[in-house]
């Protein structure tokens, strides 16, 4: 899918679900890693993670676009467009937009660091590296070792 096709699809979803035109830009941003998309209020731009079109189906991508359009239309109207605002939650419900997107299959397993306690055998799985000289086991205060 190209940026032009994404723009056209976003325009159609905006008219269908919000009865309002989307007058700004939407494009793929390959630098996005942990989110499906984002709305940038200062530029009035929506950026979409292209991995969602490769790894998941179109229904997930449609949900991401609708979610970002909720941010966009509320911002344009001068209403609360943050995740905690009641107007935002109500518009998500009205349009059938998801609150959060599913995790990418490639990110689910991720690169984890595995540690084991030398005293009690407790295992730990962490995204970030742990300084084993500084930190110990939370269960028995034993030493940790990289698995």
């Amino acid at each position: 899918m190209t940026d032009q096709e994404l723009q056209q699809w976003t325009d159609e979803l905006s008219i269908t679900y919000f009865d309002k035109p989307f007058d700004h830009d939407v494009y793929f941003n390959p630098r996005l890693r942990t989110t499906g998309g984002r709305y940038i209020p200062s530029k009035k731009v929506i950026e979409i993670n292209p991995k969602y079109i490769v790894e998941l189906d179109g229904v997930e991508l449609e949900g991401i676009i609708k979610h970002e359009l909720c941010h966009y239309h509320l911002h344009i109207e001068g209403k609360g467009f943050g995740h905690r605002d009641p107007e935002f939650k109500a518009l998500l419900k009205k349009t059938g937009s998801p609150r959060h997107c599913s995790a990418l299959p490639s990110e689910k397993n991720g690169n984890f660091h595995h540690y084991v306690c030398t005293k009690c055998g407790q295992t730990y799985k962490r995204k970030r590296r742990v300084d084993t000289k500084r930190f110990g086991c939370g269960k028995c205060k034993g030493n940790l070792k990289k698995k």
Side-chain angles (χ1 to χ4, degrees), residues 2 12 19 27 40 46 50 56 70-71 77 82 87 89-90 117 136:
T2 65
E12 291 169 8
D19 296 323
Y27 53 83
I40 304 172
I46 293 175
L56 294 173
C70 288
H71 287 297
E77 294 171 7
E87 296 98 343
K89 290 179 183 179
C117 176

Side-chain angles (χ1 to χ4, degrees), residues 120-137:
C120 70
Q122 175 73 29
T123 60
Y124 297 93
K125 184 170 95 171
R126 298 288 180 265
K127 271 217 176 240
R128 292 185 178 183
R129 243 178 336 144
V130 173
D131 183 0
T132 56
K133 292 179 182 123
R134 187 171 171 210
F135 296 101
C137 176

Side-chain angles (χ1 to χ4, degrees), residues 91-104:
L91 189 57
L92 284 178
K93 197 172 200 175
K94 180 182 169 191
T95 59
S97 305
R99 184 111 191 260
H100 306 284
C101 60
S102 303
L104 286 166

Side-chain angles (χ1 to χ4, degrees), residues 53-118:
I53 201 137
V54 175
E55 296 185 28
L56 294 173
D57 60 355
V59 175
E60 184 71 26
L61 186 62
E62 181 178 316
I64 292 168
I65 294 169
K66 285 170 30 181
H67 176 99
E68 300 309 326
L69 281 171
C70 288
H71 287 297
Y72 169 80
H73 286 298
L74 288 170
H75 178 247
I76 296 297
E77 294 171 7
K79 297 179 180 175
F81 62 95
H83 284 118
R84 294 181 181 171
D85 291 318
E87 296 98 343
F88 180 73
K89 290 179 183 179
L91 189 57
L92 284 178
K93 197 172 200 175
K94 180 182 169 191
T95 59
S97 305
R99 184 111 191 260
H100 306 284
C101 60
S102 303
L104 286 166
S106 63
E107 295 289 325
K108 275 186 183 174
N109 296 332
N111 297 332
F112 287 98
H113 300 276
H114 297 275
Y115 299 92
V116 64
C117 176
T118 57

